[in-house]
């Protein structure tokens, strides 16, 4: 069980770094809000996080 927990923690940290390098701090904040909203079944929180992610992803490159 501890090996699985360590592997999952490493995966989460790697995914967090990937999102941060690609979408910045706002992307990480949006992803965090969306995950918290989904886990707590809070639609307002998950919609706010989804909107933040959509705004960051929809920005033109450059």
């Amino acid at each position: 069980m501890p090996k699985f927990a360590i592997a999952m923690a490493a995966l989460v940290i790697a995914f967090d770094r990937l999102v941060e390098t690609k979408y910045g701090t706002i992307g990480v904040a949006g992803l965090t809000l969306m995950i918290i909203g989904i886990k707590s079944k809070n639609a307002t929180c998950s919609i706010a996080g989804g909107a933040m992610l959509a705004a960051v992803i929809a920005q033109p490159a450059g």
Side-chain angles (χ1 to χ4, degrees), residues 9-54:
L11 183 66
V12 167
I13 290 171
F15 184 70
D16 178 52
R17 293 293 177 192
L18 176 71
V19 169
E20 188 172 4
T21 56
K22 188 163 179 137
Y23 300 116
T25 307
I26 300 298
V28 172
L31 182 66
T32 303
L33 270 175
M34 195 166 74
I35 290 172
I36 290 171
I38 291 170
K39 293 272 186 186
S40 66
K41 296 181 181 169
N42 185 343
T44 305
C45 191
S46 60
I47 289 171
M52 287 174 70
L53 280 176

